[in-house]
Each structure stands twice: as C-alpha cells, then as structure tokens.
Amino acid sequence: MAYYHRLGNIPPKRHTQFRQPDGSLYKEELVSSKGFSGIYSNLYHIHNPNNVQKIGKPTPYDWKIAKEHGLNQTHLKTAGVSTTGKDYLSARKMLMMNNDVMMGICSPEQRKMDYFFKNADGDELLYIHDGEGVMYSQFGKLEVRQGDYIVIPRTTIYRFEFKEEGPIRLLVIESKGPIETVKRYRNEVGQLLEHSPYCERDIRPPHEMYTESEKGEYLVQIKKQGMLHPYTYGHSPLDIVGWDGYLYPYALSIHDFEPITGRIHQPPPVHQTFQAWGFVICSFVPRLFDYHPLAIPAPYNHSNIDSDEILYYAEGEFMSRKGIDRGSFTLHMGGLPHGPHPGTVEKSIGAKATEELAVMLDTFKPMFVTTQGLEFVDPNYPMSWTE
Ligand SMILES: [Fe+2]
C-alpha cells in the first residue's frame, strides 16, 4: 500500500525487546515483499507464529481452462445464482483465468467463516456486490459494505463475518502479481496526485486492532500452488497486539471513485482504479456524459488487438448492451472487434448522464473461460449484433 499505517501497541524501535504483561517477549514477525526490497509490515504476536499442531492432507483447489470454448464474444449470465456453495472457499467459483489472473464469484450460504483463509498464491481483490460485514485479519477489523473493493495482500490470514440479512455476492479476483494503486496517479514518494480519481482519504485500512489471545485449535486453510493445505495452530492467528508498515489489507469504495469526463468520449484508462502484473482494473461509475454538441455518448467499435476485456455489470442500465443483467460478465477477446449493439448508438445521443456501475478487468494476455464458467455461457451472445 502506498502509505504508512499503524494500529495497536508496538515498541518505539523495531527489533528491540517488547515485553508482555507477564514479562515474556512478544514475537516479532516481518511480513515483507520482493525479498527485503518491497513494501512490508512488522507484526507483534502473543504466541509463536510457527506453533503448528497439525498439518492435514492437501486437496486440489484450482480451475481448468475450457479450450473448447474457442474464439467467441462471451456473456456469462450469473444473475440468477443466489448461492454458489456452502462456505467461503467452496463457494468461490472462478469463471475465467490466465497465467496472471483468475476472476469469479462467491456467494456463500454460511455467513460467518468457522476457519481462517490465507492465500499464498496471489493477492486478492474482492468487490462486494452484495453484503455487509467485517473482515477480521491479523491487521485488525475492517468493516466492509456494498461497493467496496477489498485489496488483500497475499498471505494475509483472514475470515469474514457477514450480517445475517440480505444476499452475499462477491466478485473475486486473484492476481499472481501485487495489486497496487495506479503508478501514474502517484508522485515520486507515492502520494496520490491531484488528478487521481481517488486519494488517501478514500482508502480505508483496518480501523481497530482485534486480538484473540486464547490457546486452542485454530484451522487456517492455506492456498498454495493450486492446493488447499489445512494447518491447525495452537492459538488464534489473530494474536497480534499491534503492527505498522505499508503492507496491509484495505478497502476502497467504488462510490468514492470520482469519474473523469470530457467533451467527447473518454477512453477506459480514465476509469483505471488498480494495476497489477498483466492486467488493469477500471471502475465505471455514475457520471455525466460527454458535452460536445455533437457528442456520441455510446462507445465506438473497438478492436483491442492485444488485450481481452472483461466487464462485470454491477448496477444500472448499460446503454451500449442488450440482454445484460446485474451480475453478468462479458468477455470481449482480442482478435474480434466489439462495440455497441445495433440501435444503441442513436439512442444514446442526447443522453446527459448514466447511473451504470461496472468493474472492468483488461488483460494483456488472452483470458480463457474455465470449465466452471461454461455453465453460465449465454449461447446467443456471439450473434447478438447480427442485424
Ligand atoms: Fe473495448
């Protein structure tokens, strides 16, 4: 993360004696990225973070590319899906993937996780499409609500507790590389610049330390190399009394993304929200349309020769598309042009504003539908431009 944050109790100097009320030492843990060259945080544990009691048998937790899907403009219709599985991990269904990123949905029946999860394969970005609750992690409590992006650096140990009422629907993105704020939005020391569509005030790190000191059996499901490894520890992994640094999970609400508009149609980079290895994430939010007297608000046909574009439709009417619902994904592959549906361009002329809300993921390498994703394919979509 791009700024320093601290919570709870930490000693005045790192790597020095920091004692518990009973006189024993707190156990310091440096969580660092890129060896010792990237961002890092120092955490202070009550117990030894290596106090493993049991290591269970690993089970596969991965997805397969459906090569037979071929070159197709793709619509995955997931609107009717109310739950995708019993608990947080069994409910995570990845629908598209390549070597850099996976993307899918998660609507668990169980609202409170009775285990912890640690993704050691990649950073995660969750978009809370529906639901409200608390993410408990080693970094403290983070309240989450509809419209939040939650950036979770790899190896963060966490669990969610969602409120008892209302649907839960998460868009899940897992990235091989770190998920970061956009480099061109930052100055040379990392502060978000005046032209950035969001700034540090919009970024919400964990707001309150949450410490579980009890001993007992605590299960952490660790995802590594496409497998789930059940580790049982002799104490809660949330035994942290304080931490500081630049590496921590945080929330950024899509509703705090300030749109950039113009006299004529602005290209997707103005909507960019995050960067990662091999892809970018953009937010399409309610905004005024272009104000040139002859402006065409609908987007033009586009042949993106070396990227694939995925849109997740969150709210509102999508003026350039027909047959798209809340919760739909479209995948427009490089190699085919894509554009507005017939009739939508003329219809858009004179429109003043849009209430649409969507998350876009553009990949620099081809993106594939997974075998799981095939269940949701709308067979009519590839021919939906035909007049
Ligand atoms: Fe495009």
Side-chain angles (χ1 to χ4, degrees):
M1 204 25 241
Y3 66 87
Y4 173 82
H5 191 61
R6 61 183 279 177
L7 265 188
N9 296 321
I10 57 172
K13 196 97 182 150
R14 56 190 172 178
H15 322 320
T16 59
Q17 293 176 36
F18 179 36
R19 293 197 179 271
Q20 308 198 29
D22 68 1
S24 64
L25 288 167
Y26 284 109
K27 281 75 179 168
E28 186 183 36
E29 181 188 11
L30 168 72
V31 180
S32 69
S33 60
K34 299 180 188 167
F36 291 87
S37 308
I39 58 170
Y40 63 90
S41 287
N42 275 299
L43 283 62
Y44 294 88
H45 294 264
I46 294 170
H47 306 289
N48 180 351
N50 304 307
N51 182 22
V52 180
Q53 303 293 303
K54 214 163 40 190
I55 302 174
K57 202 169 160 266
T59 50
Y61 193 66
D62 212 351
W63 283 267
K64 285 195 174 60
I65 288 170
K67 283 240 166 92
E68 67 271 27
H69 181 63
L71 176 66
N72 275 307
Q73 304 292 30
T74 303
H75 173 204
L76 303 181
K77 255 176 134 56
T78 69
V81 179
S82 56
T83 59
T84 53
K86 189 169 170 287
D87 61 279
Y88 183 66
L89 288 178
S90 61
R92 282 162 70 116
K93 307 287 187 207
M94 292 302 182
L95 308 180
M96 284 165 275
M97 68 189 289
N98 68 16
N99 286 336
D100 298 321
V101 61
M102 291 196 269
M103 186 184 206
I105 51 173
C106 177
S107 291
E109 284 164 35
Q110 199 179 70
R111 289 173 178 270
K112 291 184 181 171
M113 289 169 69
D114 55 10
Y115 56 86
F116 293 91
F117 179 48
K118 173 180 188 171
N119 193 337
D121 277 337
D123 281 25
E124 296 187 344
L125 178 73
L126 308 178
Y127 173 73
I128 313 284
H129 193 183
D130 283 314
E132 191 180 345
V134 180
M135 176 184 159
Y136 292 89
S137 79
Q138 295 173 299
F139 299 89
K141 268 171 86 171
L142 178 60
E143 274 169 28
V144 302
R145 48 189 177 260
Q146 193 180 48
D148 279 348
Y149 288 111
I150 317 293
V151 178
I152 308 172
R154 69 202 58 208
T155 78
T156 300
I157 300 177
Y158 70 89
R159 68 182 164 81
F160 275 103
E161 285 192 8
F162 288 99
K163 287 196 171 159
E164 285 306 324
E165 277 159 32
I168 304 170
R169 190 184 176 91
L170 314 177
L171 175 69
V172 182
I173 292 168
E174 180 182 311
S175 166
K176 281 271 161 32
I179 294 173
E180 300 169 330
T181 59
V182 182
K183 194 172 175 215
R184 68 175 184 281
Y185 296 164
R186 295 185 238 128
N187 64 20
E188 69 273 21
V189 292
Q191 186 178 16
L192 291 163
L193 289 160
E194 274 290 302
H195 75 267
S196 170
Y198 57 90
C199 77
E200 284 80 1
R201 293 184 199 182
D202 302 315
I203 289 171
R204 298 171 5 238
H207 53 90
E208 188 185 323
M209 207 58 236
Y210 178 80
T211 310
E212 292 180 338
S213 58
E214 300 79 26
K215 289 195 170 181
E217 295 215 322
Y218 291 83
L219 173 65
V220 182
Q221 291 283 8
I222 303 175
K223 180 176 182 288
K224 181 77 177 176
Q225 292 171 332
M227 305 285 280
L228 276 182
H229 306 264
Y231 267 63
T232 304
Y233 288 87
H235 60 269
S236 168
L238 306 192
D239 67 333
I240 315 288
V241 294
W243 63 272
D244 76 334
Y246 280 58
L247 190 146
Y248 51 85
Y250 64 90
L252 168 68
S253 173
I254 199 168
H255 305 299
D256 285 326
F257 185 92
E258 297 301 331
I260 295 167
T261 58
R263 231 163 82 91
I264 57 170
H265 193 84
Q266 296 294 297
V270 302
H271 307 285
Q272 193 180 347
T273 314
F274 299 105
Q275 66 181 28
W277 298 350
F279 69 96
V280 297
I281 289 160
C282 299
S283 305
F284 289 84
V285 302
R287 63 194 181 280
L288 296 179
F289 275 140
D290 326 319
Y291 50 88
H292 185 288
L294 297 176
I296 299 176
Y300 31 76
N301 287 299
H302 183 204
S303 194
N304 198 348
I305 63 169
D306 50 11
S307 285
D308 284 6
E309 299 179 12
I310 297 157
L311 261 176
Y312 179 74
Y313 301 83
E315 312 292 344
E317 279 287 304
F318 286 85
M319 49 109 181
S320 61
R321 295 263 175 279
K322 289 175 177 168
I324 296 297
D325 301 314
R326 186 181 193 271
S328 283
F329 290 85
T330 55
L331 163 60
H332 295 134
M333 300 179 180
L336 294 172
H338 56 271
H341 274 121
T344 58
V345 173
E346 282 289 350
K347 211 174 137 200
S348 78
I349 293 172
K352 295 286 180 247
T354 174
E355 291 301 311
E356 71 182 16
L357 203 59
V359 176
M360 187 168 85
L361 187 146
D362 274 14
T363 63
F364 308 148
K365 289 187 202 133
M367 193 69 161
F368 299 93
V369 174
T370 62
T371 49
Q372 187 103 61
L374 286 181
E375 297 173 30
F376 301 101
V377 169
D378 168 6
N380 301 318
Y381 190 66
M383 302 300 285
S384 60
W385 286 263
T386 307
E387 292 176 83

